[in-house]
Amino acid sequence: MPINRNFQQLSENYFFSAINRRASQFAEAHPDQRLIRLSIGDVTQPLCPCVVAALEKAAQEMGKVDTFRGYGPEQGYPFLREAIAGYYKKWNISLETEEIFISDGAKSDLGNILDLFSEGTSVLIPDPVYPVYVDASIMGGKKILFLDASEENSFLPLPPAFHADVIFLCSPNNPTGAVYSKDGLQAWVDYALAEKAVLLFDGAYEAFITDPSLPHSIFEVDGAKKCAIEFCSFSKKAGFTGTRCGYTVIPKELEIDGLSLNHLWLRRQTTKFNGVPYIVQRGAEAVFTPQGEQETTKAIAYYQENARIIRQGLDQLSISYTGGENAPYIWMRCPGRMDSEQYFKFLLEHCTVVGSPGIGFGKNGKYFFRLTAFGDREDVKEAIKRIINCMSL
Ligand code: PLP
């Protein structure tokens, strides 16, 4: 039976499930100690009121014969694609609606985009990394090349001296919270144009950027429309992790060997994807209204304040870290000589706090640890208090 043997190359146990299991076992064995998770990659603030109102209105429309909608366009309704094109104007980026594809989230598209590239394509992936890029590349039989992200390059590696066909970049980064400057992204665009490579730019955390000098989109960089695809999400921007919506931008100018990747993706999506529910797309559209922008900014500000509290605690302990300013992730060096799994155990047993060991994101994460700002405010304060107390002993 010609099964896809690439699946056998995937690691058997998903690292973070094992970590969560260990934390839950500890909580069960110590019911008197309240476990606080600073490992959550999921949002905790609810959908904002104007999104809920739009979802309700759209649900009512679906219950009336005059306004009911069946199958929608696989690539998304024009109203949402136009709203997204309007959003990009903030950064002086002009997009045609046909360049924007609505999806059920960035994860699906980041994995599925590899359908456009044949087996054996070389895929360059920074380490540490959001594990989906690696697993999806393995499933698709791609040749993975890793690029070291470390303290030496501030976790923002620049292009290597060798060739790669496809490159995954994530900025603001999960797990390191590092964000590329415009010059950094320009170096990648120049590399991709010279190598005839394609950049897969993951902007899932774009909404967390507060520094006005930092780019929100790869298309702020000259030449990017000829070599880059951008993946974005409403998950962290507007609390859609359970509602599901994202979008991918493939410029019409992006051609490889005379083939338009925009056309190939349209062909792929119309065959293999059914589109995002009308109701959800109306909810997503509301995010771009003035009220939606105001309400989602408030929710993001809540997480940003959590991040500030975490950073302040680490500063007090003189622990070095990146992130947490323009990203919801704080990537800290494990104190003492502990590696990330030892530090996980230490925090769990001494502070009843859970974080994510860096090794789960790649070999370069061995001595690092990821804390997230997505928790409840009081939990964040309590967790930092506990960490300060037990590390100051
Ligand atoms: N990209 C990165 C870097 C992420 O961390 C995540 C989710 O955690 C995603 C993409 C997935 O986003 P979505 O919920 O839109 O699938």
Side-chain angles (χ1 to χ4, degrees):
M1 174 69 78
I3 290 284
N4 181 349
R5 298 276 168 203
N6 296 317
F7 278 69
Q8 290 177 305
Q9 310 295 321
L10 297 167
S11 50
E12 195 53 57
N13 280 322
Y14 193 53
F15 181 78
F16 293 108
S17 320
I19 287 294
N20 280 331
R21 209 168 37 248
R22 268 166 68 185
S24 303
Q25 281 163 356
F26 182 87
E28 271 169 39
H30 303 84
D32 51 318
Q33 297 177 33
R34 196 169 65 84
L35 189 75
I36 300 180
R37 292 180 190 273
L38 290 188
S39 54
I40 330 174
D42 198 355
V43 291
T44 51
Q45 293 291 296
L47 293 173
C48 65
C50 82
V51 167
V52 174
L55 293 171
E56 281 173 353
K57 182 165 175 276
Q60 291 295 338
E61 286 177 37
M62 292 296 275
K64 296 193 188 86
V65 73
D66 291 346
T67 46
F68 168 77
R69 306 208 186 201
Y71 286 123
E74 291 88 349
Q75 60 275 39
Y77 283 102
F79 62 79
L80 181 54
R81 301 169 92 191
E82 280 157 21
I84 293 167
Y87 180 59
Y88 272 80
K89 290 204 177 106
K90 266 182 29 178
W91 309 305
N92 292 322
I93 297 165
S94 163
L95 294 178
E96 292 180 38
T97 50
E98 298 82 42
E99 295 179 309
I100 300 164
F101 295 83
I102 310 303
S103 71
D104 65 353
K107 182 162 86 168
S108 320
D109 281 9
L110 283 158
N112 292 335
I113 198 76
L114 295 175
D115 279 4
L116 304 193
F117 304 96
S118 58
E119 280 214 16
T121 295
S122 57
V123 179
L124 186 62
I125 303 180
D127 173 336
V129 70
Y130 174 53
V132 168
Y133 312 154
V134 179
D135 286 355
S137 299
I138 292 173
M139 289 176 192
K142 309 297 189 260
K143 181 179 163 210
I144 299 179
L145 308 169
F146 284 107
L147 187 63
D148 289 333
S150 61
E151 277 173 333
E152 284 69 47
N153 55 29
S154 307
F155 295 100
L156 295 168
L158 289 171
F162 53 85
H163 171 82
D165 298 317
V166 172
I167 301 103
F168 276 106
L169 291 179
C170 178
S171 177
N173 191 271
N174 178 11
T176 68
V179 188
Y180 276 107
S181 67
K182 223 168 173 178
D183 286 348
L185 290 186
Q186 186 70 62
W188 277 108
V189 166
D190 292 346
Y191 169 86
L193 292 173
E195 295 292 325
K196 296 194 179 1
V198 177
L199 298 177
L200 304 178
F201 184 79
D202 183 347
Y205 297 97
E206 158 276 310
F208 285 80
I209 295 176
T210 48
D211 180 341
S213 73
L214 294 172
H216 289 245
S217 164
I218 187 88
F219 301 119
E220 289 180 64
V221 169
D222 288 341
K225 281 191 173 179
K226 288 191 169 11
C227 64
I229 298 177
E230 180 156 290
F231 302 83
C232 290
S233 169
F234 292 91
S235 286
K236 310 296 161 80
K237 177 181 173 62
F240 272 58
T241 51
T243 310
R244 306 306 313 150
C245 198
Y247 54 92
T248 293
V249 181
I250 311 188
K252 289 186 177 168
E253 289 172 48
L254 176 51
E255 287 190 357
I256 300 287
D257 295 338
L259 287 172
S260 156
L261 295 197
N262 181 295
H263 284 168
L264 297 187
W265 186 244
L266 179 64
R267 189 71 185 82
R268 190 238 174 246
Q269 291 298 79
T270 47
T271 301
K272 289 192 177 179
F273 184 54
N274 268 316
V276 176
Y278 170 71
I279 297 170
V280 172
Q281 292 193 55
R282 281 294 187 197
E285 181 192 24
V287 170
F288 298 110
T289 60
Q291 197 192 341
E293 291 226 8
Q294 199 185 14
E295 290 172 0
T296 50
T297 303
K298 204 169 138 203
I300 288 173
Y302 178 89
Y303 300 130
Q304 282 164 333
E305 174 61 11
N306 285 350
R308 194 196 59 77
I309 293 167
I310 297 172
R311 286 190 284 119
Q312 197 178 41
L314 297 180
D315 286 341
Q316 212 172 313
L317 292 166
S318 302
I319 291 176
S320 66
Y321 59 85
T322 54
E325 273 183 279
N326 296 286
Y329 298 115
I330 293 106
W331 181 248
M332 58 177 277
R333 186 168 252 292
C334 300
R337 289 180 183 277
M338 280 186 268
D339 69 25
S340 68
E341 288 183 273
Q342 288 166 332
Y343 190 56
F344 171 83
K345 196 162 172 280
F346 175 87
L347 273 193
L348 182 63
E349 292 173 2
H350 293 83
C351 309
T352 328
V353 169
V354 181
S356 306
I359 191 71
F361 301 98
K363 75 171 173 46
N364 290 325
K366 185 164 182 191
Y367 294 101
F368 293 87
F369 206 73
R370 192 194 72 175
L371 301 176
T372 86
F374 286 121
D376 169 80
R377 174 70 45 76
E378 291 313 310
D379 277 356
V380 169
K381 284 186 182 164
E382 172 63 20
I384 293 303
K385 197 167 100 191
R386 289 188 201 171
I387 295 173
I388 291 175
N389 283 345
C390 82
M391 297 204 51
S392 314
L393 291 178

